[in-house]
């Protein structure tokens, strides 16, 4: 049976980002990414620092671990990374979760298509803005949305952009104009993923959130958008596994 490289399974907790922010969920974090974002808060998924923590798990074993941790206290699982869209083997996990009446969310930067995208209940596409130092392949992104449209899955899909500065905000404007039919979320970025003090992080993030709100309210190209804080970071700071 195909196996998934898993770094973390935790929860129940709340989703801190995107289209289902605040939703009670379990998390499965996979290893590996095709990006290396400058401000990534999960570098351990791709920089080799946590390679000893990777467990190759079957879909059944992932589900059993979810049940051990969450018992009957969840009906939603978020698959995160890294970039889980690199893994064809995610398909089996989606199937076993759906067979047990559990909804599935997943976030990816939109650099790779997988046929199992059409099975995801809450699919977040999060292209990375200039501050990440990564480049978006627009032809791949266009193809992803075209295939989702063909399968009538756009109502299960959203765009989410992390914003640190004016250049990122301009990137968000262009993206929103390119895909106006897709639900659109803007989110404050965390500038210091090493800071240990929760109060200091929360204060800084709230100031950034107020800045982002002010920018969006005065921008006619950013109508029909949702402006979010990074909820889990406000509560737990940079702590892992929450």
């Amino acid at each position: 049976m195909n196996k998934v490289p898993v770094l973390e399974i935790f929860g129940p907790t709340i989703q801190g980002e995107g289209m289902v922010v605040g939703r009670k969920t379990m998390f499965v974090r996979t290893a590996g990414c095709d990006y290396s974002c400058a401000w990534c808060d999960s570098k351990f998924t791709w920089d080799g620092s946590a390679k000893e923590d990777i467990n190759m798990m079957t879909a059944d074993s992932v589900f059993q671990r979810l049940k051990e941790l969450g018992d009957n206290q969840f009906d939603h699982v978020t698959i995160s990374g890294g970039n889980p869209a690199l893994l064809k083997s995610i398909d089996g996990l989606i199937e076993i979760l759906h067979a047990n009446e559990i909804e599935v969310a997943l976030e990816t930067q939109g650099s790779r298509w997988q046929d199992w995208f059409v099975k995801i209940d809450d699919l977040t596409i999060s292209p990375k803005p200039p501050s990440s130092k990564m480049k978006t392949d627009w032809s791949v992104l266009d193809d992803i949305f075209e295939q989702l449209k063909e399968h009538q899955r756009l109502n299960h899909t959203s765009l989410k952009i992390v914003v640190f500065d004016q250049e990122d905000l301009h990137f968000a404007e262009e993206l929103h104009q390119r895909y106006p039919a897709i639900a659109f979320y803007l989110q404050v970025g965390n500038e210091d993923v090493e800071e240990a003090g929760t109060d200091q992080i929360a204060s800084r993030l709230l100031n950034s959130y107020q800045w982002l709100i002010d920018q969006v309210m005065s921008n006619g190209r950013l109508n029909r958008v949702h402006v979010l804080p990074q909820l889990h970071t406000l509560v737990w700071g940079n702590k892992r596994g929450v």
Side-chain angles (χ1 to χ4, degrees), residues 72-235:
N72 65 346
Q73 299 167 6
F74 71 99
D75 64 353
H76 190 271
V77 169
T78 299
I79 303 173
S80 183
N83 182 12
L86 299 178
L87 306 171
K88 290 184 178 180
S89 53
I90 292 290
D91 195 22
L93 178 57
I94 298 167
E95 289 185 1
I96 196 171
L97 292 171
H98 281 168
N100 286 273
E101 300 183 340
I102 296 170
E103 294 182 350
V104 182
L106 183 137
E107 179 174 325
T108 176
Q109 57 262 47
S111 60
R112 186 79 61 89
W113 167 263
Q114 292 287 355
D115 289 342
W116 49 254
F117 277 10
V118 301
K119 301 178 183 179
I120 299 293
D121 299 289
D122 306 307
L123 177 62
T124 297
I125 308 293
S126 184
K128 304 311 176 188
S131 62
S132 72
K133 309 303 182 185
M134 298 293 104
K135 298 291 185 182
T136 296
D137 187 328
W138 295 104
S139 63
V140 172
L141 201 56
D142 287 345
D143 181 66
I144 287 173
F145 283 117
E146 186 59 35
Q147 294 200 62
L148 289 169
K149 181 179 180 180
E150 289 177 5
H151 287 87
Q152 299 182 326
R153 299 301 292 179
L154 292 185
N155 60 328
H156 291 270
T157 305
S158 70
L159 276 162
K160 188 198 79 178
I161 307 301
V162 178
V163 176
F164 286 86
D165 53 34
Q166 288 287 351
E167 192 175 7
D168 289 354
L169 200 63
H170 180 68
F171 176 84
E173 292 174 17
E174 297 300 316
L175 198 70
H176 191 34
Q177 298 298 312
R178 190 181 186 101
Y179 308 110
I182 310 299
F184 200 80
Y185 294 78
L186 295 178
Q187 181 179 296
V188 170
N190 179 14
E191 295 180 352
D192 189 351
V193 297
E194 303 298 331
E195 171 66 56
T198 304
D199 290 344
Q200 295 92 323
I201 295 171
S203 176
R204 186 167 59 247
L205 284 178
L206 286 172
N207 287 334
S208 297
Y209 186 42
Q210 184 175 3
W211 171 83
L212 183 57
I213 290 171
D214 290 342
Q215 295 297 310
V216 173
M217 294 310 107
S218 61
N219 190 327
R221 301 186 75 198
L222 289 172
N223 297 333
R224 296 182 63 248
V225 305
H226 305 257
V227 186
L228 301 178
Q230 200 176 52
L231 193 58
H232 60 290
T233 309
L234 285 176
V235 178

Side-chain angles (χ1 to χ4, degrees), residues 19-49:
M19 66 192 296
V20 287
V21 65
R23 175 74 187 266
K24 184 180 182 181
T25 191
M26 299 288 291
F27 273 87
V28 177
R29 187 184 299 280
T30 63
C33 193
D34 49 335
Y35 278 19
S36 53
C37 296
W39 37 251
C40 179
D41 60 0
S42 304
K43 287 184 178 180
F44 62 93
T45 63
W46 52 264
D47 68 2
S49 62

